[in-house]
Amino acid sequence: MNDTAEFGEVAPVKVIDRISSLDFIRGIAVMGILAANIVAFGQPFSAYMYPDAFLADHGAASDWMVVLQYVLIDTKMRGLFTLLFGAGLYLFMERAWARGSTRWLQIWRLAVLGFFGLIHFFLIWMGDILLYYALIGFVVVAMMRLSAKAQFGLGLAGFFAGAIFYAVALSFPFMAVDTELGETPPFAEARVEMLGAKTEVLQDSMVEAELKQSGDFGGLVGHRLSEHAIDIPANVFLFSFETLPLMLIGMGLYRLGFFGGAIERGKMLRWGWAGLLGGGSLSLAIGLWLKSTGFTYYGMLAAFVGWSAIPQLFMVLGIAALLVTYSPAWNGWLAERVRAAGRAAFTNYLGTSIVMMFVFHGWALGLFGELNRPQLYLVTALTCVLMLAWSKPWLDRFRYGPLEWLWRCMTYRKMFPIRR
């Protein structure tokens, strides 16, 4: 019995083009990631989770936008992108194995991706995820020969274990600082340490903000090299509890036919809507609680990292199931442009970071710290329009996006024709 049959009912109305399905979801995810990251592009990095760090006005309307973004965007788009990255790892290996290559090609490919990630982290934007994908991807490659069900099951088990770890680890600072427990002797010392750590993070974030505003690019890069290189191993450890399981889940789902119509449509829709509405309801409850507490620093940190994992998983799988089921019927001009944006997701991801440098840094337009949350969302919308505008015309004329082509050439260490 094959892996797809083992997964459950197999009664598709029609087989879905796996690549088209992945491209569409990837296009949605790469635009959603920009919506999640826009605050950290245009305001101090700590403002991503802590509205009080905004340099511009953050009024009542913006507070509600925080809740809306937390429910619909934050952690969900990154989770979706990670799920697809895991599926893409196996898709690449299917083709590599067919040509007689081994997993060493995938390892080299990830090393190249890590090189791009280092450039992104130090020279462009410190919120890079490519380096972490590459480093954690090395571990995933070692698990590629597991069965699809084993990958999926191990991914789920690992994700739930990580969710428990996050919840326990991040709830402690919140309780020490934001609750009356912090006034008791066992927590008093921890409260002092946590408040000191918060001050250090906010001060460092302001140093980087001032360097961006002044246009001192050399000083900004030097600050990241001297102060934030140590963040890389720490973040690999922290993100691995989410990223590694999601990659395995994505890989397992890909092999089980999730992205290709191998699961009965009604089941996909039931799973999809249950995940979206169930996870969304949990996220909304947390978001409303955050607003009621005034978006405290450690409350936001606990919610974003410690308590959002289970709602995130429900929503990521729900959104993926719904997009896989519905998107094949979406063949209009907009849907085709979304697919094209997904085919050039690497270029769009890094490209938007470069565009944001020109929008916000002091040596260019110098809008860093000047825009409030609604204005930042307007920048997001205009940049998404730019993604949709360039991707399809480019791919009508060329085989790959610019960075996809460069990554391919560096992976195989030879030049490939780019024009159609």
Side-chain angles (χ1 to χ4, degrees), residues 20-276:
S20 176
S21 174
L22 289 169
D23 286 341
F24 189 91
I25 303 172
R26 196 177 287 117
I28 296 293
V30 76
M31 290 186 285
I33 285 175
L34 174 60
N37 291 340
I38 189 63
V39 169
F41 278 124
Q43 291 287 335
F45 204 86
S46 54
Y48 176 82
M49 286 191 294
Y50 186 47
D52 281 359
F54 258 71
L55 301 180
D57 178 63
H58 199 280
S62 293
D63 287 347
W64 283 109
M65 291 178 184
V66 173
V67 176
L68 186 64
Q69 177 171 324
Y70 176 76
V71 173
L72 298 178
I73 301 294
D74 290 324
T75 74
K76 287 78 179 179
M77 294 299 109
R78 185 185 69 240
L80 198 60
F81 207 62
T82 308
L83 194 78
L84 297 175
F85 191 85
L89 287 177
Y90 200 86
L91 172 62
F92 177 85
M93 282 311 306
E94 278 185 328
R95 296 172 172 177
W97 283 326
R99 292 191 297 266
S101 298
T102 68
R103 281 180 284 182
W104 285 108
L105 181 64
Q106 182 72 276
I107 291 172
W108 171 247
R109 178 173 177 260
L110 288 171
V112 173
L113 182 68
F115 171 73
F116 282 111
L118 282 171
I119 294 173
H120 191 207
F121 183 94
F122 288 112
L123 301 184
I124 303 173
W125 189 57
M126 209 169 59
D128 171 74
I129 59 173
L130 301 178
L131 177 59
Y132 307 127
Y133 277 7
L135 295 174
I136 295 170
F138 292 146
V139 180
V140 177
V141 170
M143 303 180 183
M144 276 189 168
R145 290 295 190 183
L146 296 175
S147 70
K149 288 185 69 175
Q151 289 169 343
F152 180 74
L154 188 60
L156 281 180
F159 192 92
F160 283 110
I164 295 171
F165 168 78
Y166 286 141
V168 172
L170 275 301
S171 293
F172 177 80
F174 162 73
M175 290 188 294
V177 175
D178 292 348
T179 73
E180 294 180 358
L181 285 174
E183 300 173 2
T184 62
F187 284 87
E189 183 177 350
R191 171 179 274 191
V192 173
E193 292 178 359
M194 293 299 105
L195 289 173
K198 170 188 171 182
T199 300
E200 289 181 8
V201 169
L202 295 179
Q203 288 176 344
D204 180 82
S205 188
M206 283 305 303
V207 169
E208 180 149 324
E210 291 167 1
L211 290 168
K212 288 180 180 178
Q213 288 175 319
S214 68
D216 185 0
F217 180 73
L220 182 63
V221 174
H223 175 75
R224 289 172 181 169
L225 287 168
S226 63
E227 301 297 328
H228 292 285
I230 191 61
D231 293 354
I232 293 174
N235 286 340
V236 169
F237 173 77
L238 183 64
F239 285 133
S240 65
F241 291 96
E242 173 195 295
T243 302
L244 177 58
L246 280 177
M247 285 184 183
L248 286 173
I249 292 171
M251 186 180 295
L253 287 176
Y254 171 80
R255 296 176 65 194
L256 293 164
F258 177 88
F259 297 102
I263 303 171
E264 188 264 326
R265 176 183 171 87
K267 179 177 286 188
M268 288 282 282
L269 290 176
R270 289 193 296 274
W271 289 350
W273 284 112
L276 179 62

